[in-house]
Amino acid sequence: MDRYFGFKEHGTSYGREAIAGLTTFLAMAYILFVNTDILSATGMDPGAVFTATALSAAIGTLIMGLVANYPIALAPGMGLNAFFAFSVVIGLGIDWKVALFGVFVSGIIFIIISLFKVRELIINAIPAELKYASAAGIGLFIAFIGLKQAGIVVADEATVVGLGHMLKPTTLLAIFGIIVSVILIVRGFKGGIFYGMVITVIAGMVTGLIDPPASIVGPVQSLAPTFGQAFNLDWSEVLTWKLLIVILTFLFVDFFDTAGTLYAVANQAGFVKDNKLPRAGKALLADSTATSVGAILGTSTTTAYVESASGVAAGGRTGFTSVVTAALFLVALFFSPLLAVVTEQVTAPALIIVGILMASSLKLIDWNKFEIAVPAFLTVVAMPLTYSIATGIAIGFILYPITMVTKGRAKEVHPIMYVLFFVFLGYFIFLSE
């Protein structure tokens, strides 16, 4: 095992890798509860989603560790789960089984483009500004959902949205959770989001706002309500423009989210040489395989987690770190009774914090160039305002070629962007009928 993972080569040891694996797990354990909370809004069985989340994270992370030998963990992605639940199922009215099929197909396409190494073509086709804007827009969308769950933002007939009742006990609990999480992260605590949720739950139980769980450890929840449901659907709902756009969006967001995360974490670990990421193909293949497997199990897109950087900071340098993290996700299967105490007020702070972190990509956009600023800005604001990630991406992809051609920079626009212009234009025409 020492030779397989290259402990001596990377100057690490079993103990250091094990601690790094535990650190990564604690930093991202919140996804077990947050993903369950988000996907259950579609009508999916919470217990089955919890099991699917843990299993997909364990399988994907194990593949990443054993095949790509990277200390990078995977799990159902934040943003993608919100898109799945609120944009696709609730917004477009697509059945969650059909949406899971869309996730599965996007994973298969990802596998194919990873095998044939066409990722460079796709990356170069879409301008960096739209990638940054999409990430930031998803962050605002997630934060908006969190503020809504916390009761800080509420519906208002006069102004569409307004400030909620800030002295409402459950809202105060959510605000407490936000403050605690922020303090922990500012102070540099690894897994600050997870610990913030734990402290919020304790505060909720002490104040009587959250009922204590009947138990902490229990049997593994049945996967039956979601397992294989991606193929138990009305096939007439599959061959539609709506689902095509959904698949393309899943693919787009997952592709660039994964590429960015892999590069960032690998660079922190010192793996990047001459701006190239070694074993990138294997890492992308692990990610895409996990997405398809996760869809079969019953969860939204599985992707690489930037929280893996916390494990790298703790000394993780090989895939053994990922193996440890995967094992801990399997152990977590027995803690499903804790779902009862993870209310919307507990998950809201996590959503808001993740949204803040994702919004940091705004600084990478060149706001001084109006032809760039227009599609980027409207991509960002359209996501929370229309309650749809797909709409934001579509608006940006339509406006970008227009502003660039108007500016006289038509030659800088990749041909694929012109194709996507007509695809998304057709999407809006279809929705308007």
Side-chain angles (χ1 to χ4, degrees):
M1 191 176 291
D2 188 350
R3 290 194 300 270
Y4 183 84
F5 290 109
F7 285 173
K8 291 182 180 179
E9 176 187 348
H10 292 93
T12 187
S13 63
Y14 284 106
R16 183 178 297 175
E17 295 289 304
I19 292 174
L22 173 61
T23 302
T24 297
F25 173 76
L26 292 176
M28 59 187 289
Y30 68 89
I31 193 59
L32 291 166
F33 306 101
V34 177
N35 191 56
T36 301
D37 179 58
I38 290 176
L39 296 192
S40 61
T42 67
M44 298 174 71
D45 181 81
V49 173
F50 180 87
T51 300
T53 301
L55 284 177
S56 61
I59 294 171
T61 304
L62 189 63
I63 295 174
M64 180 67 77
L66 295 179
V67 177
N69 196 22
Y70 273 131
I72 297 176
L74 293 83
M78 289 296 296
L80 285 160
N81 53 9
F83 171 65
F84 179 100
F86 301 105
S87 292
V88 178
V89 179
I90 298 175
L92 296 178
I94 294 177
D95 187 85
W96 62 265
K97 298 176 183 178
V98 178
L100 282 177
F101 178 77
V103 173
F104 175 78
V105 173
S106 71
I108 296 299
I109 296 174
F110 201 175
I111 290 174
I112 294 173
I113 64 176
S114 296
L115 289 174
F116 286 91
K117 300 180 179 180
V118 297
R119 59 190 174 85
E120 290 85 2
L121 175 64
I122 300 174
I123 289 176
N124 293 332
I126 300 173
E129 287 82 2
L130 289 186
K131 301 173 194 173
Y132 303 144
S134 296
I138 292 172
L140 293 185
F141 181 66
I142 292 174
F144 181 72
I145 293 172
L147 291 168
K148 179 175 174 290
Q149 289 188 350
I152 297 174
V153 173
V154 297
D156 188 291
E157 291 185 3
T159 60
V160 183
V161 294
L163 186 66
H165 190 340
M166 301 300 284
L167 296 181
K168 186 178 180 180
T170 52
T171 300
L172 287 174
L173 178 63
I175 293 173
F176 170 78
I178 294 170
I179 294 173
V180 169
S181 298
V182 168
I183 291 174
L184 290 173
I185 293 173
V186 170
R187 293 296 299 173
F189 279 82
K190 306 300 181 184
I193 295 177
F194 176 72
Y195 294 130
M197 291 177 66
V198 172
I199 294 173
T200 305
V201 166
I202 294 173
M205 289 190 292
V206 170
T207 56
L209 295 174
I210 297 177
D211 295 327
S215 63
I216 296 177
V217 178
V220 177
Q221 293 292 303
S222 173
L223 198 62
T226 60
F227 182 76
Q229 294 300 310
F231 309 104
N232 181 25
L233 42 81
D234 182 354
W235 292 97
S236 64
E237 298 182 40
V238 173
L239 300 176
T240 64
W241 272 100
K242 280 186 180 181
L243 188 61
L244 175 61
I245 298 300
V246 167
I247 291 172
L248 289 175
T249 305
F250 277 135
L251 182 65
F252 170 80
V253 179
D254 183 31
F255 188 92
F256 294 109
D257 182 61
T258 298
T261 299
L262 286 175
Y263 187 89
V265 178
N267 187 54
Q268 180 184 347
F271 297 147
V272 177
K273 305 296 181 184
D274 299 323
N275 203 34
K276 293 182 179 179
L277 182 65
R279 305 185 303 283
K282 291 182 178 180
L284 289 171
L285 191 59
D287 182 276
S288 53
T289 302
T291 289
S292 295
V293 171
I296 295 173
L297 295 173
T299 186
S300 54
T301 306
T302 302
T303 187
Y305 258 60
V306 73
E307 280 86 353
S308 303
S310 62
V312 171
R317 291 295 181 274
T318 75
F320 190 74
T321 292
S322 297
V323 172
V324 173
T325 303
L328 291 171
F329 270 112
L330 291 177
V331 173
L333 284 168
F334 298 94
F335 290 87
S336 60
L338 293 178
L339 282 172
V341 301
V342 183
T343 63
E344 286 189 338
Q345 291 73 39
V346 175
T347 57
L351 294 174
I352 295 169
I353 297 298
V354 171
I356 293 171
L357 296 174
M358 294 184 70
S360 64
S361 62
L362 286 171
K363 65 182 179 183
L364 301 173
I365 299 173
D366 189 351
W367 297 104
N368 294 318
K369 296 179 179 178
F370 200 63
E371 66 273 21
I372 298 296
V374 170
F377 175 78
L378 291 177
T379 295
V380 172
V381 299
M383 290 185 187
L385 294 183
T386 65
Y387 220 67
S388 171
I389 294 172
T391 298
I393 291 175
I395 290 175
F397 275 53
I398 289 174
L399 285 174
Y400 182 78
I402 294 175
T403 57
M404 292 294 283
V405 169
T406 304
K407 185 65 176 180
R409 300 174 62 184
K411 293 183 179 180
E412 298 178 36
V413 181
H414 196 283
I416 290 179
M417 289 301 297
Y418 290 112
V419 173
L420 292 175
F421 167 83
F422 289 104
V423 169
F424 284 112
L425 194 62
Y427 169 67
F428 278 123
I429 293 174
F430 175 79
L431 288 180
S432 299
E433 292 181 351

